[in-house]
């Protein structure tokens, strides 16, 4: 279930300040702790979907709705949401056919100018935090070392695999809870970041091509030699860990497999694995989206849509990302955004325009 919402009372006020009229579907914010009255107090009209959609030139959403459910919106309306075009190319095609302009926020380019519009960062940061809390909740021991009159409780050993936005926050959170934290990534640039957060980097040193950094700071697929060396190093390390949190993604591909069933079998029963990449195919063998599976006495946690598990904060940040995007292109005279075709941000996020699919990601479905 999606608990997040795409506007907050704060962004409603700001859009109204730019000259927009804002309408919110009744109940849209409830699961994020925002009452209809809060939106109304911010100046929004609150009503049933059909009435708030009527004539809308911009529709804000979290997961993109089916275009058929947008009947009544203005012709050519802009739909700003997470469209997941790789997983739903036919839906993007349907957006083109319906004449809407689909703007996919998760494709925001990783450039300085777009940092405040970057929904993947704002949401991954919360996922990294929540992954550690989920691990702590499933683990039947304590995280910090405790020296008590009855004896000493040893600190949990936490290993973070994939040190992007989510992984960095997971390291920081596990450290705050008093765990002994280590981390690894294919991008060697993360070593410094791991050290600066007080955690131990676990890196393959002796293999060529370990830089692992492709365009936009994202990871690239690694050589077979590197993968074998990494698997060996990680195997020895995993056997000593209590908690493993995996966050590794490669854009446009299935998530890399980082932990095998044989490696899980070496962990102490009662250990916990959290697979944040489970919806992209999974980093952990045996992880199932939406389930907690027990294998060899180890819990493999595959929660779906982790940011939605912190809906109130996730919504506030997501809503700000959307406002920052639209307001950056706001035209005072027409009181609407103007999105130039040649702008890097617009080229990154625009999927459809004037009845056509315009993003290179959609080329395979254009026929
Ligand atoms: P991501 O979600 O795409 O992947 C998570 C991490 O998994 C990455 O660090 C990646 O290197 C790692 N990974 C991939 N394959 C792996 C493997 N086989 N083993 C171990 N780790 C593996 O990453 P992200 O959080 O979106 O961040 C990607 C990069 O983009 C980072 O360098 C981040 O700092 C950068 N970034 C830049 C901006 C900006 O400039 N606007 C905004 C956000 C993030």
């Amino acid at each position: 279930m999606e608990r997040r919402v795409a506007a907050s009372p704060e962004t409603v006020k700001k859009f109204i300040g730019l000259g927009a009229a804002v309408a919110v579907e009744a109940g849209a914010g409830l699961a994020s702790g925002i009452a209809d009255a809060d939106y109304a107090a911010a100046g929004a009209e609150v009503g049933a979907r059909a009435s708030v959609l009527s004539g809308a030139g911009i529709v804000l959403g979290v997961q993109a709705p089916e275009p058929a459910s947008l009947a009544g919106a203005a012709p050519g309306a802009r739909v700003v949401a997470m469209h997941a075009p790789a997983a739903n190319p036919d839906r993007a095609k349907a957006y083109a056919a319906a004449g809407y302009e689909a703007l996919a926020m998760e494709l925001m380019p990783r450039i300085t100018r777009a940092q405040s519009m970057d929904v993947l960062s704002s949401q991954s940061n919360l996922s990294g935090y929540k992954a550690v809390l989920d691990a702590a909740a499933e683990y039947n021991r304590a995280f910090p070392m405790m020296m008590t009159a009855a004896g000493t409780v040893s600190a949990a050993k936490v290993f973070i695999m994939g040190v992007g936005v989510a992984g960095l926050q997971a390291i920081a959170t596990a450290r705050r809870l008093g765990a002994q934290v280590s981390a690894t990534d294919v991008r060697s640039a993360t070593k410094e970041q791991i050290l600066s957060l007080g955690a131990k980097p676990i890196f393959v040193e002796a293999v060529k091509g370990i830089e692992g950094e492709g365009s936009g700071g994202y990871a690239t697929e690694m050589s077979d030699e590197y993968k074998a060396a990494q698997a060996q190093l990680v195997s020895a390390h995993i056997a000593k860990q209590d908690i493993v949190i995996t966050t590794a993604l490669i854009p446009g591909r299935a998530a890399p497999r980082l932990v095998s069933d044989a490696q899980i079998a070496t962990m102490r029963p009662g250990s916990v694995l959290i697979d944040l990449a489970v919806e992209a195919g999974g980093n952990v063998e045996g992880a199932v989206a939406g389930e907690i599976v027990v294998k060899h006495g180890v819990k493999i946690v595959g929660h779906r849509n982790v940011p939605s598990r912190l809906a109130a904060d996730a919504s506030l940040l997501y809503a700000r990302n959307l406002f920052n995007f639209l307001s950056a292109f706001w035209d005072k005279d027409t009181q609407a955004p103007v999105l130039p075709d040649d702008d890097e941000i617009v080229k990154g996020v625009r999927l459809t325009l004037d009845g056509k699919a315009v993003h290179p990601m959609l080329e395979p479905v254009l026929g």
Side-chain angles (χ1 to χ4, degrees):
M1 189 192 118
E2 182 55 73
R3 297 186 183 82
R4 292 170 292 175
V5 62
S8 62
E10 177 202 359
T11 64
V12 165
K13 258 192 218 153
K14 287 182 169 173
F15 277 118
I16 292 172
L18 291 176
V22 182
V24 178
E25 184 177 359
L30 284 182
S32 294
I34 308 172
D36 289 348
D38 298 330
Y39 286 117
E45 174 199 331
V46 179
R49 176 180 281 219
S51 88
V52 297
L53 255 181
S54 178
I58 301 175
V59 179
L60 307 181
V62 181
Q63 318 275 356
E66 288 303 321
S69 70
L70 296 172
R78 290 180 162 140
V79 183
V80 189
M82 289 186 281
H83 286 267
N88 302 288
D90 289 334
R91 187 171 66 197
K93 233 175 148 181
Y95 264 90
Y100 296 125
E101 181 178 352
L103 297 161
M105 288 300 287
E106 74 276 33
L107 301 184
M108 189 61 70
R110 254 71 200 277
I111 54 174
T112 308
R113 183 163 68 98
Q115 247 166 356
S116 67
M117 312 170 191
D118 186 346
V119 298
L120 289 188
S121 290
S122 71
Q123 306 300 292
S124 297
N125 177 49
L126 292 170
S127 296
Y129 163 80
K130 187 67 173 166
V132 175
L133 296 198
D134 283 338
E138 295 299 335
Y139 188 48
N140 59 12
R141 297 169 187 265
F143 263 42
M145 186 180 87
M146 294 183 206
M147 293 168 87
T148 79
T152 301
V153 170
S154 49
K157 295 194 179 78
V158 176
F159 181 38
I160 314 290
M161 304 182 75
V163 186
V165 178
L168 285 171
Q169 185 56 259
I171 294 174
T173 305
R175 291 265 302 145
R176 279 181 214 125
L177 284 179
Q180 248 181 51
V181 185
S182 57
T184 192
D185 198 291
V186 288
R187 293 181 298 114
S188 56
T190 58
K191 215 189 277 183
E192 275 303 304
Q193 297 168 334
I194 295 167
L195 284 168
S196 74
L197 287 170
K200 185 175 174 203
I202 305 293
F203 274 75
V204 175
E205 303 286 356
V207 177
K208 271 193 195 152
I210 121 140
E211 291 75 20
E213 186 146 325
S215 62
Y218 282 121
T220 52
E221 179 101 53
M222 305 305 285
S223 69
D224 288 344
E225 192 192 2
Y226 176 89
K227 281 186 195 161
Q230 189 195 30
Q232 207 178 13
L233 176 74
V234 160
S235 286
H237 191 65
I238 282 182
K240 293 179 249 150
Q241 300 306 304
D242 301 307
I243 311 282
V244 177
I245 296 175
T246 67
T247 76
L249 295 171
I250 300 178
R253 288 176 192 249
R257 178 54 46 82
L258 301 183
V259 184
S260 67
D261 186 67
Q263 288 169 327
I264 297 169
T266 66
M267 295 177 77
R268 177 162 71 155
S271 302
V272 179
L273 280 151
I274 307 276
D275 188 345
L276 281 185
V278 71
E279 288 169 298
N283 295 143
V284 179
E285 186 174 356
V288 179
E291 288 184 26
I292 299 176
V293 179
V294 182
K295 287 258 179 79
H296 311 292
V298 175
K299 284 186 187 170
I300 308 172
V301 179
H303 289 308
R304 286 182 195 276
N305 197 352
V306 176
S308 172
R309 294 164 61 74
L310 286 169
D313 281 330
S315 296
L316 288 185
L317 299 181
Y318 182 81
R320 276 190 208 144
N321 290 143
L322 266 54
F323 176 80
N324 291 337
F325 165 55
L326 291 169
S327 62
F329 293 95
W330 206 264
D331 178 57
K332 286 200 183 101
D333 298 332
T334 55
Q335 295 189 329
V338 171
L339 302 178
D341 293 344
D342 60 353
D343 186 280
E344 197 179 351
I345 291 176
V346 176
K347 282 198 278 193
V349 301
R350 186 186 265 155
L351 297 180
T352 61
L353 184 71
D354 297 335
K356 292 193 209 79
V358 295
H359 199 285
M361 268 184 88
L362 294 174
E363 269 160 23
V365 290
L366 295 179

